[in-house]
Amino acid sequence: MGRVSGKVALVTGAASGIGRACAERLAAEGATVILTDLQDEAGAAVVEAIGAASGSARYLHQDVTDEAGWAQVIASIAAQEGRLDILVNNAGIGLGGSVIEMSLADFRRQMAVNVEGVFLGVKHAIPLMRKSGDGGSIINMSSVAGLKGAASLAGYCASKGAVRLFTKAVALECAAAQDRIRVNSVHPGIIETPIWDTIIGTGGPGANAGPQRAATLDAMANVAAALGHKGQPGDIADGVLWLASEESRYVTGAELVIDGGLTLR
Ligand code: NAD
């Protein structure tokens, strides 16, 4: 308990999946967590769950592609919490399909959420992080798809590869400024969350997303991951918690791969 006590954390895309698990883990370890997402009801439910577990959290509606919205979220944190120590740029979408069938609009939408959203988060959060003089930790959610290619995921791979190198460049900029802000990327493998429904088609109308998704991911992970099974959002949240805490104080610009050995071969 208390590994991030007294810290203020912002987690985007926190109404579901990995973001939700990160918000819950950070709150359980003592952080005050600001969750943002497009899904307001689900976001409110996460705040309620964190409160029921004696954690501290509040929810704000945010589209990470909207720069004015970023300014509002950061202004709200400056006014209410007065500081920002941890930013988890987690919100993301996955649009699968053949590259020759993908529309330019879908490609741009994926880049807007997965890359521009991360850029805007970093741009708007760093000035508030610097104000405290205590440094900070920025964690950008990439993917194993940012480390190696995947058929039918060209747009997604492009976006996650961009997050990987963007992270290293910002890490260098912060180090040069000696602001004690560390910037790292996290690379999940096959993790059981709703994002897969738009990649493997398990969430269509009438689809029994839960069981169908679980079975499909089981089969995929059995072949792809050295450990032979899929991961859960909590597996990623544990890594994010470590990067958010002082335990990783000498780590910046790194790639934390949490993939059950998917990238080993
Ligand atoms: P998810 O769909 O469960 O959660 C993503 C959340 O982001 C949703 O709550 C969604 O509403 C929110 N979101 C989408 N667009 C948004 C926007 N424009 N503004 C604000 N919020 C927005 O999926 P997840 O698996 O938990 O994904 C979280 C992150 O992890 C993503 O960046 C994803 O690419 C990455 N990732 C996931 C896996 C996996 O296997 N699940 C693997 C590698 C990387």
Side-chain angles (χ1 to χ4, degrees), residues 43-65:
V46 180
V47 169
E48 207 174 300
I50 288 174
S54 304
S56 172
R58 67 185 177 99
Y59 173 80
L60 292 172
H61 179 88
Q62 181 189 24
D63 179 343
V64 295
T65 67

mmCIF file of all heavy atoms in Angstrom, residues 43-65:
data_model
loop_
_atom_site.group_PDB
_atom_site.id
_atom_site.type_symbol
_atom_site.label_atom_id
_atom_site.label_comp_id
_atom_site.label_asym_id
_atom_site.label_seq_id
_atom_site.Cartn_x
_atom_site.Cartn_y
_atom_site.Cartn_z
ATOM 1 N N GLY A 43 -17.327 5.714 -16.838
ATOM 2 C CA GLY A 43 -16.331 6.453 -16.054
ATOM 3 C C GLY A 43 -16.823 6.709 -14.637
ATOM 4 O O GLY A 43 -16.073 6.546 -13.659
ATOM 5 N N ALA A 44 -18.088 7.083 -14.539
ATOM 6 C CA ALA A 44 -18.665 7.336 -13.207
ATOM 7 C C ALA A 44 -18.667 6.056 -12.377
ATOM 8 O O ALA A 44 -18.439 6.079 -11.156
ATOM 9 C CB ALA A 44 -20.084 7.892 -13.356
ATOM 10 N N ALA A 45 -18.899 4.921 -13.037
ATOM 11 C CA ALA A 45 -18.909 3.636 -12.323
ATOM 12 C C ALA A 45 -17.517 3.313 -11.773
ATOM 13 O O ALA A 45 -17.388 2.747 -10.683
ATOM 14 C CB ALA A 45 -19.388 2.525 -13.253
ATOM 15 N N VAL A 46 -16.478 3.681 -12.512
ATOM 16 C CA VAL A 46 -15.113 3.427 -12.019
ATOM 17 C C VAL A 46 -14.831 4.296 -10.789
ATOM 18 O O VAL A 46 -14.273 3.823 -9.790
ATOM 19 C CB VAL A 46 -14.051 3.696 -13.120
ATOM 20 C CG1 VAL A 46 -12.649 3.429 -12.593
ATOM 21 C CG2 VAL A 46 -14.326 2.845 -14.355
ATOM 22 N N VAL A 47 -15.272 5.558 -10.853
ATOM 23 C CA VAL A 47 -15.087 6.451 -9.701
ATOM 24 C C VAL A 47 -15.795 5.870 -8.469
ATOM 25 O O VAL A 47 -15.242 5.860 -7.360
ATOM 26 C CB VAL A 47 -15.626 7.869 -10.012
ATOM 27 C CG1 VAL A 47 -15.692 8.718 -8.747
ATOM 28 C CG2 VAL A 47 -14.731 8.547 -11.054
ATOM 29 N N GLU A 48 -16.997 5.336 -8.696
ATOM 30 C CA GLU A 48 -17.759 4.756 -7.588
ATOM 31 C C GLU A 48 -17.016 3.544 -7.007
ATOM 32 O O GLU A 48 -16.906 3.396 -5.783
ATOM 33 C CB GLU A 48 -19.136 4.331 -8.108
ATOM 34 C CG GLU A 48 -20.196 4.344 -7.024
ATOM 35 C CD GLU A 48 -21.574 4.050 -7.622
ATOM 36 O OE1 GLU A 48 -22.008 4.819 -8.496
ATOM 37 O OE2 GLU A 48 -22.162 3.038 -7.214
ATOM 38 N N ALA A 49 -16.488 2.706 -7.908
ATOM 39 C CA ALA A 49 -15.767 1.511 -7.443
ATOM 40 C C ALA A 49 -14.519 1.913 -6.652
ATOM 41 O O ALA A 49 -14.206 1.310 -5.618
ATOM 42 C CB ALA A 49 -15.376 0.642 -8.636
ATOM 43 N N ILE A 50 -13.815 2.936 -7.124
ATOM 44 C CA ILE A 50 -12.608 3.391 -6.416
ATOM 45 C C ILE A 50 -12.997 3.963 -5.048
ATOM 46 O O ILE A 50 -12.351 3.678 -4.034
ATOM 47 C CB ILE A 50 -11.841 4.434 -7.266
ATOM 48 C CG1 ILE A 50 -11.173 3.737 -8.467
ATOM 49 C CG2 ILE A 50 -10.790 5.181 -6.429
ATOM 50 C CD1 ILE A 50 -10.499 4.684 -9.455
ATOM 51 N N GLY A 51 -14.084 4.738 -5.020
ATOM 52 C CA GLY A 51 -14.568 5.298 -3.746
ATOM 53 C C GLY A 51 -14.953 4.199 -2.768
ATOM 54 O O GLY A 51 -14.639 4.269 -1.577
ATOM 55 N N ALA A 52 -15.621 3.167 -3.288
ATOM 56 C CA ALA A 52 -16.052 2.053 -2.422
ATOM 57 C C ALA A 52 -14.848 1.333 -1.827
ATOM 58 O O ALA A 52 -14.944 0.723 -0.759
ATOM 59 C CB ALA A 52 -16.912 1.081 -3.224
ATOM 60 N N ALA A 53 -13.711 1.412 -2.531
ATOM 61 C CA ALA A 53 -12.482 0.780 -2.022
ATOM 62 C C ALA A 53 -11.624 1.792 -1.254
ATOM 63 O O ALA A 53 -10.423 1.578 -1.050
ATOM 64 C CB ALA A 53 -11.695 0.183 -3.184
ATOM 65 N N SER A 54 -12.261 2.904 -0.838
ATOM 66 C CA SER A 54 -11.604 3.953 -0.049
ATOM 67 C C SER A 54 -10.537 4.726 -0.808
ATOM 68 O O SER A 54 -9.662 5.340 -0.193
ATOM 69 C CB SER A 54 -10.987 3.377 1.245
ATOM 70 O OG SER A 54 -11.955 2.718 1.983
ATOM 71 N N GLY A 55 -10.615 4.711 -2.127
ATOM 72 C CA GLY A 55 -9.674 5.493 -2.930
ATOM 73 C C GLY A 55 -10.255 6.851 -3.278
ATOM 74 O O GLY A 55 -11.431 7.125 -3.026
ATOM 75 N N SER A 56 -9.411 7.691 -3.867
ATOM 76 C CA SER A 56 -9.826 9.045 -4.211
ATOM 77 C C SER A 56 -9.772 9.229 -5.726
ATOM 78 O O SER A 56 -8.705 9.066 -6.338
ATOM 79 C CB SER A 56 -8.895 10.035 -3.505
ATOM 80 O OG SER A 56 -9.158 11.335 -3.967
ATOM 81 N N ALA A 57 -10.925 9.560 -6.338
ATOM 82 C CA ALA A 57 -10.953 9.712 -7.792
ATOM 83 C C ALA A 57 -12.099 10.623 -8.197
ATOM 84 O O ALA A 57 -13.089 10.753 -7.492
ATOM 85 C CB ALA A 57 -11.124 8.351 -8.462
ATOM 86 N N ARG A 58 -11.920 11.267 -9.351
ATOM 87 C CA ARG A 58 -13.033 11.986 -9.977
ATOM 88 C C ARG A 58 -12.925 11.805 -11.481
ATOM 89 O O ARG A 58 -11.852 11.485 -12.000
ATOM 90 C CB ARG A 58 -13.060 13.462 -9.564
ATOM 91 C CG ARG A 58 -11.901 14.303 -10.056
ATOM 92 C CD ARG A 58 -11.999 15.709 -9.474
ATOM 93 N NE ARG A 58 -10.878 16.541 -9.852
ATOM 94 C CZ ARG A 58 -10.892 17.433 -10.850
ATOM 95 N NH1 ARG A 58 -11.984 17.614 -11.566
ATOM 96 N NH2 ARG A 58 -9.831 18.165 -11.136
ATOM 97 N N TYR A 59 -14.073 12.027 -12.137
ATOM 98 C CA TYR A 59 -14.151 11.761 -13.581
ATOM 99 C C TYR A 59 -14.412 13.051 -14.344
ATOM 100 O O TYR A 59 -15.191 13.898 -13.909
ATOM 101 C CB TYR A 59 -15.281 10.769 -13.876
ATOM 102 C CG TYR A 59 -15.537 10.581 -15.353
ATOM 103 C CD1 TYR A 59 -14.735 9.742 -16.119
ATOM 104 C CD2 TYR A 59 -16.576 11.275 -15.994
ATOM 105 C CE1 TYR A 59 -14.946 9.588 -17.487
ATOM 106 C CE2 TYR A 59 -16.789 11.121 -17.364
ATOM 107 C CZ TYR A 59 -15.973 10.278 -18.098
ATOM 108 O OH TYR A 59 -16.179 10.139 -19.449
ATOM 109 N N LEU A 60 -13.749 13.188 -15.499
ATOM 110 C CA LEU A 60 -14.031 14.294 -16.415
ATOM 111 C C LEU A 60 -14.258 13.738 -17.814
ATOM 112 O O LEU A 60 -13.524 12.833 -18.244
ATOM 113 C CB LEU A 60 -12.842 15.265 -16.466
ATOM 114 C CG LEU A 60 -12.531 16.077 -15.209
ATOM 115 C CD1 LEU A 60 -11.209 16.825 -15.378
ATOM 116 C CD2 LEU A 60 -13.664 17.065 -14.918
ATOM 117 N N HIS A 61 -15.251 14.288 -18.522
ATOM 118 C CA HIS A 61 -15.440 13.904 -19.915
ATOM 119 C C HIS A 61 -14.296 14.516 -20.735
ATOM 120 O O HIS A 61 -13.982 15.695 -20.590
ATOM 121 C CB HIS A 61 -16.781 14.427 -20.439
ATOM 122 C CG HIS A 61 -17.015 14.091 -21.880
ATOM 123 N ND1 HIS A 61 -17.608 12.907 -22.269
ATOM 124 C CD2 HIS A 61 -16.701 14.760 -23.020
ATOM 125 C CE1 HIS A 61 -17.663 12.871 -23.596
ATOM 126 N NE2 HIS A 61 -17.114 13.981 -24.076
ATOM 127 N N GLN A 62 -13.683 13.693 -21.590
ATOM 128 C CA GLN A 62 -12.610 14.229 -22.437
ATOM 129 C C GLN A 62 -12.471 13.416 -23.713
ATOM 130 O O GLN A 62 -12.417 12.189 -23.695
ATOM 131 C CB GLN A 62 -11.252 14.177 -21.701
ATOM 132 C CG GLN A 62 -10.108 14.754 -22.541
ATOM 133 C CD GLN A 62 -8.731 14.512 -21.941
ATOM 134 O OE1 GLN A 62 -8.520 13.592 -21.166
ATOM 135 N NE2 GLN A 62 -7.785 15.335 -22.325
ATOM 136 N N ASP A 63 -12.392 14.138 -24.831
ATOM 137 C CA ASP A 63 -11.975 13.528 -26.094
ATOM 138 C C ASP A 63 -10.501 13.899 -26.256
ATOM 139 O O ASP A 63 -10.169 15.090 -26.394
ATOM 140 C CB ASP A 63 -12.811 14.102 -27.248
ATOM 141 C CG ASP A 63 -12.399 13.519 -28.596
ATOM 142 O OD1 ASP A 63 -11.296 12.941 -28.701
ATOM 143 O OD2 ASP A 63 -13.182 13.661 -29.549
ATOM 144 N N VAL A 64 -9.619 12.917 -26.243
ATOM 145 C CA VAL A 64 -8.177 13.225 -26.237
ATOM 146 C C VAL A 64 -7.694 13.861 -27.535
ATOM 147 O O VAL A 64 -6.567 14.356 -27.604
ATOM 148 C CB VAL A 64 -7.305 11.980 -25.924
ATOM 149 C CG1 VAL A 64 -7.548 11.477 -24.512
ATOM 150 C CG2 VAL A 64 -7.510 10.875 -26.959
ATOM 151 N N THR A 65 -8.529 13.864 -28.565
ATOM 152 C CA THR A 65 -8.120 14.499 -29.832
ATOM 153 C C THR A 65 -8.402 16.003 -29.841
ATOM 154 O O THR A 65 -8.030 16.694 -30.790
ATOM 155 C CB THR A 65 -8.843 13.868 -31.048
ATOM 156 O OG1 THR A 65 -10.247 14.171 -30.969
ATOM 157 C CG2 THR A 65 -8.661 12.363 -31.077
#
